[in-house]
Amino acid sequence: MENKGSKLIQIRIAGVDRPGLTHIITQTLADFNATVLDIGQADIHQSMTLGILCQIDKSKEDDLLSELKKQSHLLGVQSHFQNISEHDYNSWVNQQGKNRYILTLLGRKITAQQIAETTQIIIKQKLNIDTIKRLTGRIPLDETKSNIRACVEFSLRGTPLNPTQMQKELMALSRNLGVDYSLQEDSMYRRMRRLICFDMDSTLIQTEVIDELAMRAGVGDQVKAITASAMRGEIDFKQSFKKRVSLLKGLDESVMIEIAKNLPITEGVDRLMYVLKKHGYKVAILSGGFTYFGKYLQKKYDIDYVYANQLEIKEGKLTGHYLGEIVDGQRKVELLHEIAAKEKVDIAQTIAVGDGANDLPMLNEAGLGIAFHAKPKVKENAEQSINTIGLDGVLYFLGFKDSHLEDLGRL
């Protein structure tokens, strides 16, 4: 009598990749009317691993396995087969309801030690690794080449036993091993970010413009000391702002033009802005710096919104005063919400990037807050941080792969 029951078989094929291999294996399964329940394939330097979980009529099992072994031999690959019980399969299916997290590792290079210690933290938190994939392109051996980036992304399933402790341990690894981390819940909002807000000074540009102005006004040391103290969160931003601006009294407006034309753009900004605009993101500058320079960057990168502080100029000279409301940390949060409402974007779909203490409120308020080469206080309080590469590292925290960006022609 024909056995009408079915079997669940997990098939693993490994060997040197070659054109048509996946087609031949799946065509063999099709010849035996197999149902594919799961499939995955990975290629690493021409070495391929193909995994397929299928359901097959019991009466066809022996013939199918015999044919797969034959095809594997002809293809020059190794094959392995394992029976899966219905109980194990159902347990696997039931895990679909569990939370998913994305853990991103980013740096100039990725070492085995970084991955080993990262996975140790994952194990301690009772999370399962579903997949690991490389987001950056193939990494050159010549480490002297500019703007080398290395990034891998872990897809995790489950709920961390202690999310706060996990985040703390990841940040400790970041400091000790020279790698950046981003841990995000894999919700629909993560895949639908629409608005990104940047600080300007020491984020989009590699300087504090007020320090540049002060040097030309002959009060550089005084202003620089006040700026550094404010960015560390040691003194009130508004108080420090008023004091610094007052010291600029009498500076000629032509100095601002010269500084604007020579702003030191942060590594990765050109690439980041190009990709964000091509993919429809709304981009804003929310800065405790000055509108004059924000407008310059707005024109250069087609930025949608600029909110910063306006210096008062009379008869071509700075008066030592400012116009309008000071953009401090709290004002940045208000502007984040205002722009999100105007663009009809949920706050969970927003991103904020900055380096100073006055950026922390918006970093904590946004759906994804990223501290970029930030001051110690900011690093300690931000959940995501980039310290190892340029600002285009933000793209990997958003899930972009270099292979997806190649068509844009500007890597």
Side-chain angles (χ1 to χ4, degrees), residues 105-110 134-140 145-152 267-268 271 388-396 402 405 410-411:
L105 280 71
L106 175 65
R108 293 295 182 188
K109 62 181 179 180
I110 300 296
R134 174 169 49 85
L135 299 187
T136 43
R138 294 170 181 172
I139 301 167
K145 289 188 175 181
S146 63
N147 203 14
I148 292 177
R149 305 171 295 262
C151 180
V152 292
E267 176 191 335
R271 179 177 189 249
T388 60
I389 72 167
L391 201 60
D392 54 342
V394 170
L395 294 172
Y396 304 112
D402 281 354
L405 304 177
R410 289 185 57 170
L411 287 177

Side-chain angles (χ1 to χ4, degrees), residues 33-48:
N33 296 319
T35 298
V36 175
L37 302 174
D38 193 19
I39 184 169
Q41 181 172 318
D43 292 87
I44 301 177
H45 194 60
Q46 298 183 329
S47 178
M48 184 274 293

Side-chain angles (χ1 to χ4, degrees), residues 20-248:
L21 189 151
T22 302
H23 166 71
I24 292 170
I25 297 299
T26 54
Q27 184 59 58
T28 301
L29 293 174
D31 292 342
F32 289 85
N33 296 319
T35 298
V36 175
L37 302 174
D38 193 19
I39 184 169
Q41 181 172 318
D43 292 87
I44 301 177
H45 194 60
Q46 298 183 329
S47 178
M48 184 274 293
T49 301
L50 171 65
I52 302 175
L53 178 61
C54 68
Q55 185 180 37
I56 185 73
D57 191 294
K58 277 185 178 180
S59 64
K60 300 178 180 179
E61 179 185 5
D62 291 341
D63 291 340
L64 170 63
L65 297 186
S66 177
E67 184 62 24
L68 285 172
K69 290 176 182 177
K70 175 184 173 183
Q71 293 297 338
S72 297
H73 177 74
L74 293 173
L75 292 166
V77 296
Q78 295 187 354
S79 56
H80 177 79
F81 312 104
Q82 180 181 355
N83 288 326
I84 303 297
S85 70
E86 287 190 15
H87 176 270
D88 288 345
Y89 178 77
N90 288 331
S91 296
W92 175 71
V93 169
N94 291 334
Q95 288 184 20
Q96 291 181 111
K98 289 189 176 182
N99 293 330
R100 291 176 63 93
Y101 289 82
I102 298 297
L103 176 60
T104 310
L105 280 71
L106 175 65
R108 293 295 182 188
K109 62 181 179 180
I110 300 296
T111 68
Q113 183 182 7
Q114 291 166 351
I115 293 178
E117 296 201 28
T118 300
T119 51
Q120 182 63 37
I121 292 174
I122 293 170
I123 292 169
K124 284 169 58 179
Q125 293 295 327
K126 304 297 183 183
L127 295 168
N128 294 321
I129 300 173
D130 279 353
T131 61
I132 303 174
K133 61 183 178 182
R134 174 169 49 85
L135 299 187
T136 43
R138 294 170 181 172
I139 301 167
L141 295 177
D142 184 0
E143 295 184 11
T144 64
K145 289 188 175 181
S146 63
N147 203 14
I148 292 177
R149 305 171 295 262
C151 180
V152 292
E153 181 183 275
F154 290 78
S155 177
L156 310 176
R157 189 180 297 277
T159 302
L161 297 178
N162 188 331
T164 301
Q165 180 63 25
M166 183 175 183
Q167 189 73 42
K168 183 178 179 180
E169 292 182 8
L170 288 172
M171 290 303 100
L173 281 188
S174 176
R175 292 189 297 272
N176 296 334
L177 300 180
V179 63
D180 296 325
Y181 288 96
S182 170
L183 179 65
Q184 304 175 58
E185 188 171 355
D186 192 16
S187 66
M188 68 174 184
Y189 293 117
R190 178 186 176 268
R191 296 185 292 274
M192 297 174 63
R193 310 283 193 201
R194 303 312 315 150
L195 168 65
I196 182 165
C197 299
F198 293 97
D199 176 45
M200 180 172 63
D201 297 46
S202 296
T203 300
L204 291 174
I205 57 176
Q206 293 178 301
T207 189
E208 295 286 332
V209 169
I210 197 166
D211 292 345
E212 299 287 338
L213 292 169
M215 283 190 289
R216 288 156 176 82
V219 292
D221 290 342
Q222 293 172 261
V223 168
K224 197 167 187 177
I226 299 170
T227 300
S229 183
M231 290 301 98
R232 291 193 299 267
E234 296 170 353
I235 57 176
D236 175 73
F237 180 83
K238 285 187 176 181
Q239 178 186 357
S240 71
F241 179 81
K242 293 175 183 177
K243 190 172 182 180
R244 287 177 289 170
V245 168
S246 69
L247 292 170
L248 302 178

Side-chain angles (χ1 to χ4, degrees), residues 273-284:
M273 289 299 181
Y274 184 80
V275 172
L276 291 174
K277 297 304 293 184
K278 279 290 185 179
H279 284 82
Y281 283 77
K282 292 296 181 179
V283 180

